Amino acid sequence: MSEYEVSGTVNTDGSWTQHSVVRETHSGGSIDFEPEVKAGSSFCMRLRNALNGEIFSDEVCWSTDEYECKTLATDVIAGTRFTIDARGTDEQTRFSGKLFTA
C-alpha cells in the first residue's frame, strides 16, 4: 500500500474544489484517507478519474470530531490515475492528511 501526504485548500462557500495533482494506484484495492486538518466541521472528499474527469467515488464526509481513516473507493483497478475533489464549511480553507492507495 502506498501512502501520500495530501494537503490543499477549498473554497469558503462549500462548493467543490478540484485539485490537479494526479496520483496512481499500483495494484487493485481501495483508496482511503485519514485527515489531520479538516476544512470545516463537515469536510468532504470524492475522487475523479484523471483521464476523463468522471467522478468515480461517493462523497465521503467527516464531521466535527471525526478524524478516523475512511474508504473513498473500493475495487479500484491497478494503474487508476485520479485526482481529489474536496469541500469544507465554516469558512475553513485548509486540509491535510494521509491518502492510502493499493
Side-chain angles (χ1 to χ4, degrees):
M1 181 166 276
S2 298
E3 180 180 318
Y4 300 97
E5 290 290 327
V6 174
S7 63
T9 58
V10 297
N11 298 318
T12 59
D13 63 2
S15 63
W16 287 104
T17 301
Q18 295 180 19
H19 294 81
S20 61
V21 175
V22 176
R23 294 173 175 85
E24 184 174 351
T25 59
H26 299 288
S27 62
S30 65
I31 300 173
D32 307 309
F33 183 74
E34 182 176 19
E36 293 172 1
V37 174
K38 299 179 299 183
S41 64
S42 178
F43 171 68
C44 302
M45 294 180 85
R46 64 185 182 191
L47 303 176
R48 183 178 298 275
N49 185 305
L51 300 176
N52 62 18
E54 290 183 23
I55 296 166
F56 69 90
S57 73
D58 290 333
E59 176 179 349
V60 177
C61 299
W62 289 263
S63 62
T64 303
D65 296 325
E66 289 184 302
Y67 285 90
E68 72 270 7
C69 188
K70 292 187 180 185
T71 299
L72 301 175
T74 59
D75 299 324
V76 179
I77 61 173
T80 298
R81 294 173 49 84
F82 66 94
T83 60
I84 295 170
D85 290 356
R87 70 177 173 178
T89 58
D90 299 333
E91 299 198 17
Q92 303 278 341
T93 59
R94 195 173 80 74
F95 71 91
S96 65
K98 291 185 174 92
L99 185 74
F100 304 94
T101 65

